[in-house]
Amino acid sequence: MPSFTRKAIMQSFMKLVDQRPINKVTIKDIVEDCGINRNTFYYHFSDIPALIEAIVQEEAAELFQTHPTITSYEECIRLAIQEIQKNKRAVLHIYNSSNRDIYEHYLMQMCQYIVETYFNTLLGDKKINRQDREIIVTVYSCQCFGLFIDWLNNNLSDEFPQRVERLCELRKGMLEEMLERCGME
């Protein structure tokens, strides 16, 4: 049953970090909330940063598994917004902690995945130059990542989803135009 206990530890941590900043959550708090002992915690995680990494990694893996295809850039952004909004306060507490780098790393991976998945869906069986492909995926991934970092830096403001929707309207057709310039086969 280690996976059940591991999941319980993760859920306890997320519940606690939703209630208060991460620097106010201790391993003692987690094990008490979970009803386990410290040794059980250390069996599954070496420390709180390892726990955070596992949680973010699991969330990203779940996103990848549940969305094998993405049909638009708007859908890419919406999926990432939904993931962040699931645990808004906890995300902000993690992002504003000394463990920000862990969250940023997986946020970038998530952005790369959703852009790459969208790109694969858009291209279908068409081929483009490998370098052009890498450039386009990198630009869109970085843009997506930058949007989310800006949102996080603005405490996940409520108007962000509407602003992104408007941005998507303004950019409509740009990727298709770039692909035409690549000379798809």
Side-chain angles (χ1 to χ4, degrees), residues 40-102:
T40 303
F41 176 90
Y42 288 116
Y43 174 79
H44 293 283
F45 304 101
S46 58
D47 53 18
I48 289 179
L51 172 59
I52 293 168
E53 186 169 359
I55 290 168
V56 176
Q57 199 171 30
E58 191 171 290
E59 287 294 319
E62 185 179 318
L63 175 73
F64 303 161
Q65 185 178 7
T66 57
H67 298 284
T69 61
I70 297 171
T71 57
S72 70
Y73 189 67
E74 295 84 359
E75 184 182 358
C76 293
I77 302 294
R78 269 190 227 107
L79 287 172
I81 288 171
Q82 289 169 2
E83 287 302 310
I84 291 171
Q85 286 179 324
K86 276 187 203 173
N87 298 298
K88 188 175 179 175
R89 288 186 58 181
V91 166
L92 280 172
H93 285 149
I94 293 168
Y95 182 72
N96 291 318
S97 75
S98 60
N99 298 296
R100 174 183 286 195
D101 62 323
I102 295 169

Side-chain angles (χ1 to χ4, degrees), residues 10-42:
M10 295 165 110
Q11 288 171 344
S12 287
F13 175 77
M14 289 303 289
K15 179 177 106 181
L16 293 167
V17 83
D18 187 56
Q19 297 168 356
R20 56 187 183 249
I22 199 168
N23 64 345
K24 303 288 186 206
V25 176
T26 65
I27 292 172
K28 181 180 181 211
D29 297 331
I30 297 167
V31 298
E32 284 177 0
D33 184 75
C34 218
I36 61 171
N37 64 42
R38 289 178 76 85
N39 288 340
T40 303
F41 176 90
Y42 288 116

